[in-house]
Amino acid sequence: MRVAATLLRRDLATLLPGRQGGTLLPLLFFLAVAMLYPFAVGPDPQLLARTGGGVIWVAALLAAILPLDRLLASDFQSGFFDQWAMRGIAEELVVAIRLLAHWLSFGPPLMLAALPAAALLGLDGRTLAIVELGLLAGTPGLAAIGIIIAALTLGLRSAGMALAGLLLIPLAVPLLVFGAGALSTGGTSGVALCGAISLVLVALAPFAGGAAIRAARES
Amino acid sequence: MQAALTATGLVCRRGDRLLWGPLELALAPGQALHLTGPNGIGKTSLLRIAAGLLRPFAGAVERSGAFALLDGALALDEHQPLDAALAFWRRMDGGPMPLERLGLHTLLDVPVRYLSTGQRKRAALARLIGQGARHWLLDEPLNGLDDAGVALVETLIAERRAQGGAVIVASHQPIALDGAAVMDLRTHAA
């Protein structure tokens, strides 16, 4: 328990936006997309209202990729994972806590930023509610995909980042299909499926990530 | 007395090169082993296999008791002041770190990335001692240290051994270890 609390405290200190090391970039990126989109497609309120929810989703997906390169690689290279292993701390525990901190650093801030983004795109209250519900259901899954990919690309050094971005996109498609798809069907069944996919990914991530870190050590 | 570390039939392969082996190791509590050999012979690999971080190509390692590892990776947050960076491991391990003895007490507010090579090694030693593990695996512990630092490491190793710890030191530099076995990996090279 003391180990978990110590790990979480350090992870939050390095990942939370505005703190040392953490960055506001994903949030600003998200808001920039929402701000620039109306300029790009023109000020047609109906078009904006119809497509705005989807744009928020795509922006959220891309914002989730931005911090991937500092999620695990720097700790791996500076020997933290070796030292944790020497203390008998499982990689799975470290990854699970990193996953929680990663989600906290972009999930809730993104849900907050979706409020001004919805205003900029002229979304109505009902659509906004589905977007927010969908983000709540989908962002843990995005965080889990992110951490799995960060772990899988550990052995690739600098070339890993380009690959990481490419790998994330097909894996994120199911989340996007159901999460953003709920906007057009109007019900919450899509959100529920999105949440189910998220739960599976979150359950898998610590084990996949832990195995990937151990494999990277051998390379 | 139970051995701290026993290795049987160890063979090390990195990539498609066979580095060394097969070799046998048996280290009793209080014993020290000095690994020597030129760069690239596989000293670090042997230490990492002994630590359980690397799987040997063949053979098995048995450990009893906690091991601590000191290697080239500092495992301290570079942007943080030394005090805060060490505090992370202090919270995790709960052991005391003899900062004054290591000459670190005047550097506590200096960010880790500004420390010199020798100071970084001293900080790594603080982390090593703070872990409170019984046995030590040290990879080039003398790199970058001044004469006083070398003497300090030799004393620290002697103290660890006096408390029943086994120590393996991989170093191409001479190090004074009282009654330590010396293993030249060249004699085991494949």
Side-chain angles (χ1 to χ4, degrees), chain B residues 76-100:
Chain B
L76 293 173
D77 284 313
E78 296 281 331
H79 58 274
Q80 283 195 331
L82 181 62
D83 193 28
L86 285 174
F88 170 73
W89 290 112
R90 214 164 12 218
R91 273 195 296 273
M92 190 149 272
D93 298 325
M97 295 177 179
L99 295 178
E100 198 152 340

Side-chain angles (χ1 to χ4, degrees), chain A residues 31 34-35 38 48 56 112-125 128:
Chain A
L31 281 174
M35 254 185 274
L48 282 181
I56 289 185
L112 270 181
L115 296 174
L120 287 165
L121 295 167
L123 300 188
D124 58 34
L128 176 61

Side-chain angles (χ1 to χ4, degrees), chain A residues 101-192:
Chain A
H102 176 42
W103 180 74
L104 283 173
S105 74
F106 87 91
L110 225 55
M111 290 175 65
L112 270 181
L115 296 174
L120 287 165
L121 295 167
L123 300 188
D124 58 34
R126 199 192 60 89
T127 314
L128 176 61
I130 295 179
V131 167
E132 290 284 9
L133 264 182
L135 285 179
L136 182 62
T139 45
L142 288 180
I145 295 172
I147 211 143
I148 292 172
I149 288 172
L152 282 175
T153 49
L154 273 183
L156 303 178
R157 307 275 178 266
S158 56
M161 263 333 288
L163 194 60
L166 284 177
L167 274 171
L168 184 129
I169 288 164
L171 287 173
V173 164
L175 285 172
L176 215 59
V177 165
F178 292 112
L183 290 165
S184 53
T185 55
T188 49
S189 54
V191 173

Side-chain angles (χ1 to χ4, degrees), chain A residues 15-16 18 33 36 40 55 63 73 94 98 100 104 108 139 141 153 156 161 173 197 212:
Chain A
L15 287 174
L16 274 192
V33 171
L36 292 175
V55 171
V94 179
R98 189 65 51 91
L100 175 63
L104 283 173
T139 45
T153 49
L156 303 178
M161 263 333 288
V173 164
I197 298 169

Side-chain angles (χ1 to χ4, degrees), chain A residues 10-71:
Chain A
R10 173 171 177 270
D11 287 357
L12 285 177
T14 43
L15 287 174
L16 274 192
R19 302 284 298 274
Q20 33 132 346
T23 167
L24 282 167
L25 193 63
L27 268 185
L28 293 176
F29 178 82
F30 177 80
L31 281 174
V33 171
M35 254 185 274
L36 292 175
Y37 181 71
F39 291 105
V41 301
D44 175 0
Q46 272 182 325
L47 179 69
L48 282 181
R50 210 171 63 242
T51 56
V55 171
I56 289 185
W57 262 95
V58 172
L61 170 65
L62 295 178
I65 308 181
L66 285 178
L68 279 198
D69 60 330
R70 40 196 199 89
L71 214 46

Side-chain angles (χ1 to χ4, degrees), chain B residues 127-166:
Chain B
R127 191 201 69 222
L128 175 88
I129 296 166
Q131 187 181 341
R134 183 163 176 201
H135 310 299
W136 285 357
L137 304 168
L138 312 177
D139 190 5
E140 301 292 356
L142 306 182
N143 265 9
L145 285 180
D146 51 22
D147 290 347
V150 170
L152 177 63
V153 169
E154 286 166 351
T155 317
L156 288 170
I157 293 175
E159 286 172 9
R160 186 91 297 273
R161 290 172 67 193
Q163 287 167 32

